[in-house]
Amino acid sequence: MHAMLLELKQAARGMTNQAGFSLLVIGVLAAGLGCVIYMLIAIGSMVMRPLPFPDAERLMHVGVDSGNNRSGQLDPMRSNDLLQLRRQLTGIADVSGFEEATINLSDLDRPERFNGAFVSGNLFRVLGVAPIMGRDFTLADEREGAPPVVMLSHDLWDSRYGSDPGVIGRQVRVNSQTATIVGVMPADFSYPRREVIWAPGTFTDGVNSDLRYGIVIRRAVGASSTAIETAVASWFADAKRNEPEQFREVRIGVESLALLAVHAGTRSLLGVMLVSAMLVLLIACANTTNLLLTRTLARRQELAIRVALGADRMRLAVHLIAQSLILTLIAAGVGLLCARIAAGWTDAAFRASPDGPPYWIHFALDSNVIVLTLVVALVTALVSGLLPALRAGSGAMAGDLRDGTRGAGGGMARVSRVLMVGEVAMSLTLLIAVGTLIRGVMTLERSDLGIDPDGILTARVGLFESAFPTGAAQVALFDRITDRLRGDPAVIDATAGTNLPGLDGGPRQFIADGEVPAGDTPLPRANYAAVDDHFFSLYGLRMIEGRFFDTRDTATATPVAVVDQRFADRYGKEGSVVGRRFKLDPRDADGPVVTIVGVIPALWLDQPGDPIRPTLLAPLRQQPARFVSLAMRVKGDPAAFAPRLVETIRAVDPDTPAYWVRTYAQAISEATFGQRTLAKMFGTFGLVALVLAGAGLYGVIAFNVGNRTREIGVRRALGAPSISVLRDVLTRATWQVGLGLVIGLGLGLSLARILESALHGVPGSVVGGGNVMTAIAALSVLIFAAAIAAVVPTRRALRIDPMIALRHE
């Protein structure tokens, strides 16, 4: 221990004497450690941190896997399924459910729409959370005909009602119905994500509501996960026999509730990002090892003298590892600070996003991350200092004492070249992955949606059956809203439809009229939207064939549809698709049969990055819906028109607020927020890796050129031209860099394919091994960095007078 402390003191003194070298090593290690610590914070926050509920390990999630959810999440289930599961699991688990929704609250003369959820009467009890005021929901609240009640979050109670304790028992209008506020939840509570208001759903035996519920269960004390899975599987087998059509091509899944908040796809992506961060750290370690080797080589006579005075191999190794340990611990502190700042930025960005994580996920340091940071730092110190320590063997040092300037230099130079090959390979691996992801996000943002989005303001409006019980009443209100908007001098045009192009298309199955679905054969799907007559003109579409909707297409007229070019090319059967008839929802006896009356250019109705499907549009009058998106093209800045839009809708119906009011550009930006944030994270890793690789290449080549200064002087004294010397240096560097590039190319394309499988919403044609342009760009960047690293130190050596170079030691 005394010897270790002594070596630590000597290492610290040496660092002070070589401040420039020490700062360089600390900077290199801090960059690599900072990336890894940041990922440890992210994984600790999203995966390792337990749910904030009592006995959270007993909470489980049940759902169906239809194979259509690319994120890997289980899909929600019907209300009657929840009741059946509740009976099936009696005695071994409590069963509850929730459905995310937006809920209108129109008291205080301020109609607003909030993020909320419809829940079963026992959800909060299953989670183990009780209101701080009033009472909890009960199973009686979820029964049909029960008096409507509502629960507020602490934030909503504070912001809307000024923390008034008299709010309990107050009558308010919720979704156009009178309801009673019965409770206020604790501060900082929200579920399933960031909801601020909850209302009981309606559950009736044998009847399925329009809502589909995420099923949350709490295992009884003593009940095992296996018993739950067995009981759920038994119920599912009975359900499949009773309703084969409903449960066709799906399976049941039971998993930890934590997977509902951070699903398998996100966990896979975090794993890929951690691997990428580890690559950056390995590059930093290789860089540091090379620097320490260079430093050891510069001190070889000093170390050889220590050997001659009796220092053994272990003592030298302890000395060099102590130096590495001090540098690494300081770098870990710097990296920890940088990672904390980056985590704070990420947390703020996610909090500002409307589609952010649940309230309990915060990107913040905790004791687990600090402990892991120390472990990573110690391993890094050992990895970075081990090779220099091994090279500082007593035999080598004795040789240095006899030979003066040579001895260990050749062996260390070979180790440096091997490390350089590894650096180049790891850097190219990461650059290819980063480049493919960034190209993918750029492709998303430049996606041709088939419309003109400039100058458009959008909003969402939802109606409820209690106030608008028929489709005709719903369409009439939307017509009044759009008519009033079109009458505004600032509005060029306005439309209403169930979906916005490029944002929220909904797939719908179809077949040609007269055909019969064949067993379990998958049916074709088209992205579907019901729209009014002004959809065509507002989005600047043109007709390729036929016509768009007009006043002929009334609710009682023959159902019609307009399709895009993709649909026409695929299902036109070598002729025009106009006039052909198709049945929507073929396995539903009530599925409508529509006649195609027009064809428009290819329209991307769903989000960029989602599967490309043909598009089918139906008249809103014939296919009414309670929830629609409004879009209006305005003169000037569309964001400035937002207050007038809200007032216009309020004037038409005071109980119907507009929500998600935003420009089209904002809507598209929010839709790709996750991919853009991910690209920034990977881009940061790639930039750090590139800087470290460039610095490492420069350092190694400069070190090799420095060792050859005497040789270069001899060659120039014998008349060798400068270009010949430069060509020789470049040739040697080319072999080393080339080997690293070959290895990195294979690893990089493999990592890109893994990244493709872990991502949702980035085009597979862009992220993957086939992206030759990205690989070429990454290769070019590293080759350019290698060329600069070879040319600069060589030119410096060539400027030395040959006679001085001949005396170089």
Side-chain angles (χ1 to χ4, degrees):
M1 181 59 71
H2 176 73
M4 184 64 181
L5 291 175
L6 181 61
E7 295 301 338
L8 286 172
K9 289 180 181 179
Q10 291 183 349
R13 189 179 304 115
M15 287 171 49
T16 304
N17 295 334
Q18 297 288 330
F21 172 82
S22 300
L23 289 175
L24 178 60
V25 173
I26 289 171
V28 168
L29 284 176
L33 285 169
C35 291
V36 172
I37 295 168
Y38 172 81
M39 285 311 305
L40 291 177
I41 292 174
I43 293 174
S45 300
M46 301 186 71
V47 177
M48 298 174 64
R49 192 168 295 162
L51 296 175
F53 306 122
D55 300 319
E57 70 279 0
R58 292 198 282 124
L59 290 172
M60 305 179 75
H61 169 54
V62 181
V64 294
D65 181 6
S66 60
N68 295 326
N69 197 328
R70 294 176 64 190
S71 68
Q73 277 186 305
L74 296 174
D75 293 327
M77 303 177 69
R78 302 173 302 173
S79 58
N80 194 50
D81 296 335
L82 185 150
L83 293 180
Q84 293 179 20
L85 278 170
R86 186 180 284 173
R87 283 191 290 268
Q88 181 77 24
L89 300 180
T90 298
I92 60 174
D94 290 329
V95 179
S96 64
F98 65 87
E99 163 69 358
E100 296 178 69
T102 52
I103 295 177
N104 286 354
L105 189 57
S106 54
D107 66 327
L108 303 178
D109 295 327
R110 284 164 46 201
E112 291 184 86
R113 194 159 183 87
F114 298 98
N115 287 333
F118 292 100
V119 303
S120 64
N122 62 338
L123 174 69
F124 299 136
R125 188 171 66 253
V126 167
L127 292 175
V129 181
I132 58 169
M133 289 178 53
R135 68 168 178 87
D136 196 353
F137 292 147
T138 67
L139 294 181
D141 293 323
E142 68 178 33
R143 294 174 186 154
E144 186 174 7
V149 293
V150 68
M151 187 88 69
L152 306 180
S153 73
H154 192 279
D155 286 346
L156 182 58
W157 173 57
D158 179 61
S159 61
R160 188 174 177 91
Y161 299 102
S163 300
D164 178 11
V167 76
I168 303 300
R170 177 179 295 184
Q171 299 288 303
V172 295
R173 290 186 60 76
V174 176
N175 294 346
S176 300
Q177 282 188 314
T178 300
T180 303
I181 298 175
V182 296
V184 175
M185 296 303 291
D188 296 329
F189 171 82
S190 184
Y191 194 83
R193 289 194 298 170
R194 292 187 286 178
E195 287 69 24
V196 298
I197 185 169
W198 299 268
T202 300
F203 297 85
T204 305
D205 274 325
V207 177
N208 282 305
S209 69
D210 294 336
L211 304 179
R212 286 185 172 262
Y213 292 86
I215 308 298
V216 179
I217 67 174
R218 179 179 286 275
R219 288 188 287 111
V221 176
S224 66
S225 298
T226 303
I228 300 295
E229 293 170 1
T230 301
V232 170
S234 176
W235 167 81
F236 188 65
D238 291 339
K240 288 187 71 172
R241 284 192 295 270
N242 296 332
E243 298 181 88
E245 291 292 331
Q246 173 63 32
F247 296 102
R248 184 190 303 271
E249 300 175 0
V250 300
R251 67 173 185 84
I252 197 73
V254 183
E255 60 189 18
S256 167
L257 185 62
L259 283 176
L260 187 60
V262 183
H263 51 72
T266 299
R267 290 170 183 251
S268 299
L269 184 56
L270 288 172
V272 173
M273 293 181 66
L274 180 60
V275 169
S276 302
M278 292 299 295
L279 280 176
V280 176
L281 180 58
L282 286 174
I283 294 169
C285 287
N287 238 329
T288 301
T289 302
N290 262 328
L291 289 170
L292 292 177
L293 281 171
T294 304
R295 175 66 180 151
T296 302
L297 189 59
R299 299 175 58 200
R300 57 189 179 273
Q301 285 188 315
E302 171 201 333
L303 297 175
I305 291 173
R306 293 188 64 177
V307 171
L309 294 176
D312 59 15
R313 184 185 181 96
M314 179 60 69
R315 187 65 178 264
L316 288 180
V318 168
H319 173 77
L320 294 174
I321 291 177
Q323 175 182 278
S324 175
L325 179 62
I326 294 175
L327 292 170
T328 304
L329 289 177
I330 296 174
V334 176
L336 197 66
L337 178 61
C338 294
R340 183 176 182 182
I341 294 173
W345 171 84
T346 304
D347 193 68
F350 276 117
R351 295 296 142 198
S353 168
D355 195 30
Y359 77 96
W360 63 83
I361 293 181
H362 289 281
F363 290 79
L365 278 173
D366 58 23
S367 58
N368 291 330
V369 172
I370 294 174
V371 170
L372 286 173
T373 297
L374 290 175
V375 172
V376 171
L378 291 174
V379 172
T380 301
L382 183 62
V383 170
S384 300
L386 189 59
L387 274 177
L390 292 175
R391 295 303 304 170
S394 57
M397 292 300 103
D400 279 339
L401 188 61
R402 291 190 302 271
D403 299 337
T405 62
R406 291 180 294 270
M412 289 189 179
R414 286 192 294 274
V415 172
S416 289
R417 288 193 289 269
V418 171
L419 289 172
M420 186 175 75
V421 171
E423 271 192 78
V424 171
M426 290 184 289
S427 299
L428 182 59
T429 298
L430 190 55
L431 284 177
I432 290 176
V434 169
T436 50
L437 176 61
I438 292 176
R439 279 177 57 88
V441 173
M442 291 173 63
T443 299
L444 289 182
E445 295 182 335
R446 293 197 304 262
S447 296
D448 182 8
L449 304 178
I451 63 169
D452 177 13
D454 293 336
I456 295 180
L457 182 69
T458 69
R460 190 76 171 168
V461 173
L463 308 180
F464 297 93
E465 290 179 335
S466 58
F468 300 91
T470 66
Q474 296 156 13
V475 172
L477 179 67
F478 299 142
D479 284 343
R480 291 201 302 273
I481 292 174
T482 53
D483 286 345
R484 180 166 293 204
L485 287 170
R486 284 190 289 268
D488 191 304
V491 176
I492 300 172
D493 202 354
T495 186
T498 55
N499 307 85
L500 292 171
L503 290 173
D504 51 8
R508 197 163 178 178
Q509 293 179 332
F510 67 93
I511 57 173
D513 186 33
E515 294 183 4
V516 179
D520 294 335
T521 303
L523 297 174
R525 292 169 178 252
N527 282 332
Y528 165 88
V531 302
D532 68 12
D533 301 350
H534 289 261
F535 182 92
F536 177 82
S537 58
L538 182 127
Y539 290 115
L541 301 173
R542 64 182 178 86
M543 293 305 303
I544 295 177
E545 184 181 5
R547 67 174 179 87
F548 202 69
F549 310 134
D550 55 33
T551 54
R552 287 172 286 180
D553 305 312
T554 62
T556 57
T558 300
V560 297
V562 169
V563 297
D564 73 345
Q565 188 67 58
R566 291 192 192 97
F567 191 106
D569 292 343
R570 194 174 302 177
Y571 303 105
K573 289 189 175 179
E574 301 180 358
S576 174
V577 75
V578 173
R580 293 196 63 200
R581 289 157 55 88
F582 291 87
K583 182 176 176 58
L584 306 183
D585 305 327
R587 292 193 170 100
D588 184 351
D590 297 327
V593 177
V594 298
T595 301
I596 308 302
V597 297
V599 179
I600 59 176
L603 179 64
W604 200 328
L605 198 60
D606 215 336
Q607 289 189 11
D610 283 346
I612 298 177
R613 298 189 182 98
T615 293
L616 184 147
L617 305 175
L620 188 60
R621 285 188 297 269
Q622 295 182 346
Q623 304 289 332
R626 295 190 293 110
F627 290 83
V628 302
S629 292
L630 302 175
M632 59 231 68
R633 190 179 299 278
V634 301
K635 301 172 184 176
D637 181 12
F641 188 76
R644 288 167 67 176
L645 167 64
V646 173
E647 289 302 320
T648 298
I649 296 175
R650 184 179 298 172
V652 174
D653 186 80
D655 277 348
T656 302
Y659 59 104
W660 298 345
V661 180
R662 54 198 176 180
T663 67
Y664 222 104
Q666 290 172 330
I668 294 294
S669 177
E670 290 175 5
T672 58
F673 169 80
Q675 294 90 341
R676 288 185 292 107
T677 301
L678 185 64
K680 290 178 182 178
M681 295 178 185
F682 268 96
T684 301
F685 293 166
L687 180 61
V688 172
L690 180 60
V691 171
L692 292 179
L697 287 169
Y698 182 88
V700 171
I701 295 176
F703 170 69
N704 291 335
V705 171
N707 278 346
R708 297 178 60 200
T709 300
R710 186 184 183 92
E711 173 197 337
I712 291 172
V714 171
R715 293 182 60 183
R716 293 192 63 211
L718 294 175
S722 298
I723 190 66
S724 174
V725 175
L726 180 60
R727 183 169 57 248
D728 181 54
V729 173
L730 287 173
T731 300
R732 294 193 182 193
T734 298
W735 282 106
Q736 298 166 34
V737 173
L739 179 58
L741 292 178
V742 170
I743 297 172
L745 187 62
L747 294 176
L749 295 177
S750 299
L751 181 60
R753 283 191 290 270
I754 295 172
L755 187 62
E756 176 186 357
S757 64
L759 284 174
H760 168 66
V762 174
S765 60
V766 176
V767 180
N771 194 338
V772 178
M773 293 303 297
T774 300
I776 291 175
L779 283 168
S780 301
V781 169
L782 279 177
I783 291 173
F784 178 76
I788 295 295
V791 169
V792 172
T794 305
R795 283 175 59 87
R796 184 182 298 116
L798 290 172
R799 285 198 296 266
I800 301 175
D801 186 272
M803 298 308 297
I804 297 175
L806 287 173
R807 294 194 298 270
H808 179 77
E809 291 292 339

